[in-house]
Amino acid sequence: MARKNYSDEFRRQAVDLYESTPGATVRGIADDLGVERGTLRHWLGLYGTGKKTAADGTPTSSPLKAQAPPAPSASAAPDETDGQRIARLEARVSELEAERTKLTTEREILRSAAKYFGRGDELVSRFQFVADHQHAFEVKRLCELVEIERSSYYAWKAGAPARAARAGAELAEKIRAIHGQDNTLGAPRVTAELNDTVAAAERINHKRVARVMREHGIRAYQRRRRVRTTIPEPSGQKVPDLLRRDFTAQAPNQRYVGDITYLPLADGTNLYLATVIDCYSRRLAGWSLADHMRTSLVEDALKAAAATRGGSRALAGVIFHSDHGSVYTSKDFAKLCKQLDVTQSMGAVGTSADNSLAESFNATLKREVLQDEHVWPDEATCRRQVFRWIVRYNTRRRHSWCGYQSPTAYESHHAATLAPAA
């Protein structure tokens, strides 16, 4: 379900992201964060500085201005007599009746070709209708029926090979446009993006998308790095493994996994990100970012997940799975889990596969945000980029586990399927 209650920190970070991103638009930032444009404009009015960053990186004033209300529609002249008004209305009725007769006639003529006129280009649909039925009817009669010239039809037919080549090039350009916004997308996610805004008859097969991407050298960014993120604490409490590498759930808010990963900065220091991920939808329900690895880091992440799900009792009865890091085995964290009625679960010491879902999330974040860089230039940039990616991950990034929907859309679909039963 889409998030409707936003914290004050979230609002200020959204405003800061708009003002600090070169060439940012309200629409682009609002889409990335999954909020309404009007909501973001309201936040800019509350927290904004009136400045933003131009495309070349220089500071400039914000161009946001209130839009003028639309002009009122024209009405009848005030000095029009009743007779003139009746005559005008009768003339309009006659026009509408003539138009209705024309439309009814056209509908009857084109009834047999109706399915061809929902494919985008109407003229091409008429040509295709003639091509598909030329063996059953005369081409001359078919052309008269759909109101095209025979010479135009034959010219269209002769140009079929060249059109096929152009279609491939046009598809490649669409793929490049999508890939330019997020170069981590492979053929399945690109296909989902392309098909998300077209009619069912125009949907594209993922095999065709993969072929065009290969032919035009369009590849998803890939990076392989090994990073050790778990520091076990042998002296900590003993907690059983309740998941046993089964990272599935029947519904949201039943099973969570969490981990800590470091985010390296150019000055040699690190920030640390603690996560709480729902096994059902892979949604990042809670997270915390700080310059330390104290127990409060993972406590804040779990508290954020409880707030996302509805309050202090929202996590009652759920399982939270982690590694044997010292912060997770601490007495303070165990106390918080007891207060929230959360059952702890831990994998074996030194075995990353027992928490592979959280490990995979960490690797994906670093790969897609850092890409060819090894560190973030500074703390502020790191916080902004991670914040933007995390919100986009939940609201827009298509996840293969969710059938190439975003985690929040996947949860909304689950809620919609339960609504009739309720």
Side-chain angles (χ1 to χ4, degrees):
M1 183 176 296
R3 182 176 182 178
K4 295 182 179 179
N5 296 319
Y6 301 91
S7 66
D8 185 71
E9 180 183 4
F10 184 97
R11 298 175 184 181
R12 293 182 183 275
Q13 286 181 304
V15 171
D16 176 69
L17 186 63
Y18 169 80
E19 293 183 344
S20 63
T21 301
T25 62
V26 171
R27 179 175 183 176
I29 297 299
D31 288 346
D32 277 354
L33 301 183
V35 302
E36 296 293 334
R37 276 173 275 174
T39 300
L40 181 55
R41 288 178 182 272
H42 177 65
W43 295 347
L44 288 170
L46 292 177
Y47 306 107
T49 63
K51 301 290 185 180
K52 62 171 296 186
T53 305
D56 59 359
T58 60
T60 182
S61 59
S62 175
L64 298 178
K65 294 181 180 179
Q67 296 182 352
S73 58
S75 58
D79 57 347
E80 185 180 45
T81 64
D82 289 343
Q84 291 173 329
R85 180 172 180 274
I86 292 173
R88 178 173 56 80
L89 292 176
E90 287 178 345
R92 180 55 178 160
V93 169
S94 298
E95 292 177 3
L96 293 175
E97 288 180 346
E99 185 175 353
R100 183 187 63 178
T101 301
K102 178 183 177 182
L103 293 175
T104 301
T105 303
E106 291 179 352
R107 181 190 61 187
E108 294 300 325
I109 293 175
L110 300 174
R111 185 179 297 275
S112 62
K115 66 178 182 179
Y116 286 81
F117 289 81
R119 301 181 180 178
D121 191 320
E122 182 178 322
L123 182 59
V124 172
S125 298
R126 297 186 187 198
F127 288 149
Q128 192 64 55
F129 172 75
V130 175
D132 291 345
H133 295 81
Q134 61 180 334
H135 300 296
F137 305 96
E138 291 182 353
V139 171
K140 178 181 178 180
R141 177 55 183 156
L142 291 171
C143 290
E144 291 175 351
L145 180 66
V146 295
E147 299 179 352
I148 60 174
E149 297 292 336
R150 276 186 293 169
S151 59
S152 299
Y153 164 70
Y154 286 122
W156 173 84
K157 188 175 180 180
R163 284 197 305 278
R166 287 197 301 271
E170 291 174 359
L171 178 57
E173 287 304 312
K174 293 180 181 179
I175 293 173
R176 284 196 182 93
I178 294 173
H179 207 254
Q181 297 177 4
D182 186 352
N183 67 348
T184 65
L185 300 183
R189 289 193 177 92
V190 170
T191 304
E193 289 286 347
L194 289 169
N195 289 335
D196 195 41
T197 57
V198 299
E202 299 176 350
R203 292 178 66 86
I204 302 172
N205 186 280
H206 72 279
K207 294 181 180 179
R208 182 186 176 193
V209 173
R211 183 179 68 254
V212 172
M213 290 180 69
R214 286 195 303 271
E215 292 173 350
H216 291 80
I218 306 173
R219 298 181 179 86
Y221 179 83
Q222 294 181 345
R223 186 183 190 189
R224 299 181 182 275
R225 291 183 65 190
R226 286 189 176 183
V227 178
R228 185 186 180 195
T229 57
T230 303
I231 303 176
E233 177 55 63
S235 62
Q237 60 173 324
K238 301 299 181 182
V239 176
D241 185 351
L242 302 179
L243 298 192
R244 297 191 177 278
R245 303 186 184 181
D246 178 13
F247 303 110
T248 62
Q250 299 301 313
N253 204 35
Q254 292 182 347
R255 289 180 168 186
Y256 289 91
V257 297
D259 195 15
I260 298 176
T261 188
Y262 77 93
L263 309 175
L265 304 179
D267 62 2
T269 62
N270 299 311
L271 292 180
Y272 298 92
L273 175 69
T275 57
V276 179
I277 304 169
D278 194 312
C279 290
Y280 174 76
S281 63
R282 277 36 178 180
R283 178 181 181 180
L284 187 63
W287 75 87
S288 179
L289 185 61
D291 59 358
H292 62 80
M293 286 183 62
R294 294 190 291 273
T295 304
S296 59
L297 177 68
V298 294
E299 289 179 326
D300 289 343
L302 191 60
K303 291 176 183 177
T308 297
R309 292 308 191 187
S312 59
R313 299 300 301 168
L315 301 185
V318 308
I319 296 174
F320 176 73
H321 182 83
S322 67
D323 55 37
H324 275 270
S326 58
V327 291
Y328 291 115
T329 58
S330 67
K331 292 181 180 179
D332 288 340
F333 188 71
K335 181 179 178 181
L336 175 63
C337 289
K338 185 175 181 180
Q339 292 174 351
L340 298 177
D341 196 14
V342 171
T343 301
Q344 283 189 268
S345 169
M346 293 185 184
V349 176
T351 305
S352 61
D354 287 351
N355 200 22
S356 59
L357 174 55
E359 297 274 358
S360 176
F361 175 88
N362 294 338
T364 299
L365 184 152
K366 291 184 180 181
R367 182 180 68 251
E368 296 191 358
V369 179
L370 277 178
Q371 299 195 8
D372 291 326
E373 301 297 329
H374 297 287
V375 297
W376 276 273
D378 52 64
E379 179 178 339
T381 300
C382 180
R383 288 182 178 275
R384 287 168 182 161
Q385 291 183 353
V386 171
F387 168 72
R388 183 174 189 171
W389 187 90
I390 283 175
V391 177
R392 187 179 185 279
Y393 169 88
N394 278 338
T395 61
R396 293 191 63 190
R397 185 183 183 277
R398 298 178 186 275
H399 203 301
S400 57
W401 175 265
C402 303
Y404 293 103
Q405 301 179 74
S406 68
T408 52
Y410 190 66
E411 288 190 0
S412 296
H413 178 73
H414 170 80
T417 59
L418 296 180

